[in-house]
Amino acid sequence: MAAIEIPTVLLTNTSAQLKMPVIGMGSAPDFTCKKDTKDAIIEAIKQGYRHFDTAAAYGSEQALGEALKEALKEAIELGLVIRQQLFVTSKLMVTENHPHLVIPALQKSLKTLQLDYLDLYLIHPLSSQPGKFSFPIDVEADLLPFDVKGVWESMEESLKLGLTKAIGVSNFSVKKLENLLSVATVLPAVNQVEMNLAWQQKKLPEFCNAHANGIVLTAFSKLRKGASRGPNEVMENDMLKEIADAHGKVAQISLRWLYEQGVTFVPKSYDKGRMNQNLRCDIFDWSLTKEDHEKISQIKQNRLIPGPTKPGLNDLYDDEIKKKSYSEITRFHYQYTRHPRHMI
């Protein structure tokens, strides 16, 4: 089966006019088996994946790095790909989200990944006690003020040093982006956030897509799978089922909607069949109708992932979050304690 050529988006806030694949492959936090990872990466490259997303907090950098090294060797021998054709993203842990720790943390990630550079490095809008990793983060004992100016200056320095080709953020609201842009010399290339039909973040795409900002959005939890023990508010949504019946597609409706918003996405699966399904998702050769978009705009909105702190922070997402009850936040902490994913 021939590899699929995945469309790319231009990261305008980079000096090299870097291109990022629309679909990436996430490295699941609990997936650390070198052999399985290597086999999955080889298979992913054969299928057409070129973007690999990880984070220091996931615990998957080492396995991914070892796999990429071996996979690249084999891929080059097979004439599949070279390093310059891959796009690798990682993220700074909140325990290292301090000006003096950014570059050492990035250098550590590069060593773990066995790479000379990253294509994209992201930060979160929180800082906690250095060296004290805990989840959820105890607001009273561990949360520290976030020095956005100092941290971003260190991120900009990492660009000058050639440690990464692009810098960006994750889980930044419009307000937090405005604060960052007011002190930034280099604007963030990407903002990776929860985004799906049940959490459309209508203000955020508007702000990021503004010509002066040029920030590309990347979505996680695009289908709201694997993160909730309750009903899936995307895949089990009646409005989506109506649209799906008209098009003969289900998951593709959600992905096509993201694609039409100019949003990229990173599915997290190493299952061969599911990887192929994610890649060959049949979203590029058709469009949603005006009526489809009107129905989608009526879907009830509710954030799935309220945040990584205990207790929850009302201002973490500023005015863009529906405030959750104590029981909802407690249930989230119970579900995520074993595998912190997107906010650390």
Side-chain angles (χ1 to χ4, degrees):
M1 189 179 291
I4 290 179
E5 187 172 344
I6 301 173
T8 59
V9 292
L10 182 66
L11 301 184
T12 57
N13 293 338
T14 58
S15 59
Q17 297 288 283
L18 201 59
K19 292 181 179 178
M20 182 172 74
V22 169
I23 304 175
M25 181 179 179
S27 56
D30 53 348
F31 207 100
T32 55
C33 172
K34 176 185 172 183
K35 182 183 184 303
D36 290 347
T37 304
K38 184 246 181 179
D39 292 345
I41 297 299
I42 284 283
E43 178 60 33
I45 291 172
K46 286 179 178 177
Q47 290 189 19
Y49 284 93
R50 296 295 180 264
H51 180 190
F52 297 92
D53 180 271
T54 186
Y58 295 173
S60 60
E61 281 187 336
Q62 183 173 354
L64 178 61
E66 291 174 355
L68 275 175
K69 183 179 180 180
E70 294 186 35
L72 269 172
K73 181 181 177 183
E74 185 174 333
I76 291 169
E77 289 172 357
L78 294 173
L80 293 173
V81 71
I82 58 175
R83 167 64 182 100
Q84 289 79 3
Q85 294 172 308
L86 297 181
F87 192 102
V88 182
T89 298
S90 194
K91 307 170 193 75
L92 182 71
M93 288 180 68
V94 294
T95 53
E96 295 166 325
N97 207 6
H98 306 277
H100 67 292
L101 295 179
V102 172
I103 289 175
L106 175 47
Q107 290 170 328
K108 182 181 177 182
S109 283
L110 288 173
K111 185 176 180 181
T112 305
L113 286 161
Q114 302 184 58
L115 295 174
D116 295 326
Y117 65 90
L118 287 177
D119 296 278
L120 177 64
Y121 197 47
L122 306 178
I123 61 168
H124 296 293
L126 290 175
S127 297
S128 66
Q129 291 283 358
K132 187 180 178 183
F133 177 77
S134 62
F135 186 86
I137 300 165
D138 188 313
V139 170
E140 295 295 329
D142 298 329
L143 197 65
L144 295 175
F146 174 40
D147 180 2
V148 63
K149 185 176 186 294
V151 166
W152 197 250
E153 285 174 350
S154 295
M155 291 288 281
E156 292 175 343
E157 181 63 21
S158 72
L159 277 176
K160 295 175 186 175
L161 294 172
L163 301 176
T164 182
K165 290 188 174 183
I167 52 177
V169 297
S170 182
N171 297 295
F172 270 58
S173 65
V174 168
K175 183 177 179 180
K176 286 181 171 56
L177 283 172
E178 286 174 335
N179 290 340
L180 172 57
L181 297 188
S182 71
V183 299
T185 301
V186 178
L187 301 188
V190 169
N191 186 15
Q192 187 176 125
V193 297
E194 177 191 343
M195 191 172 177
N196 49 64
L197 292 184
W199 191 246
Q200 296 173 23
Q201 301 233 51
K202 294 178 182 179
K203 294 180 183 177
L204 196 56
E206 235 175 71
F207 181 85
C208 290
N209 292 338
H211 178 69
N213 298 329
I215 303 168
V216 172
L217 281 170
T218 296
F220 60 76
S221 297
K222 64 197 186 313
L223 300 177
R224 292 175 82 115
K225 288 184 176 180
S228 173
R229 297 184 181 187
N232 186 310
E233 295 176 30
V234 170
M235 299 303 291
E236 297 172 27
N237 185 278
D238 290 338
M239 200 70 75
L240 175 61
K241 289 176 183 176
E242 270 186 44
I243 301 170
D245 288 343
H247 290 278
K249 309 170 190 294
V250 183
Q252 294 96 326
I253 303 296
S254 300
L255 301 181
R256 178 68 199 186
W257 177 80
L258 286 169
Y259 183 61
E260 290 187 13
Q261 308 303 306
V263 176
T264 65
F265 38 94
V266 282
K268 289 180 170 64
S269 177
Y270 279 3
D271 174 78
K272 181 177 177 179
R274 195 166 293 166
M275 280 195 302
N276 187 270
Q277 187 180 36
N278 285 333
L279 199 60
R280 299 174 184 275
C281 52
D282 185 24
I283 66 169
F284 301 121
D285 59 355
W286 59 283
S287 299
L288 293 166
T289 66
K290 182 180 178 181
E291 184 181 9
D292 293 336
H293 281 283
E294 288 172 354
K295 288 179 179 178
I296 286 170
S297 70
Q298 296 170 33
I299 293 175
K300 181 182 176 182
Q301 297 297 292
N302 179 39
R303 184 186 292 280
L304 177 66
I305 303 174
T309 62
K310 181 181 181 181
L313 298 173
N314 286 335
D315 64 345
L316 178 59
Y317 297 107
D318 305 303
D319 61 341
E320 295 168 45
I321 185 169
K322 169 193 168 185
K323 288 183 171 57
K324 289 183 175 283
S325 67
Y326 177 78
S327 62
E328 288 178 300
I329 292 171
T330 302
R331 183 168 65 250
F332 165 82
H333 289 146
Y334 176 76
Q335 292 169 10
Y336 277 80
T337 297
R338 290 185 60 197
H339 298 303
R341 283 179 168 87
H342 301 296
M343 276 295 296
I344 51 178

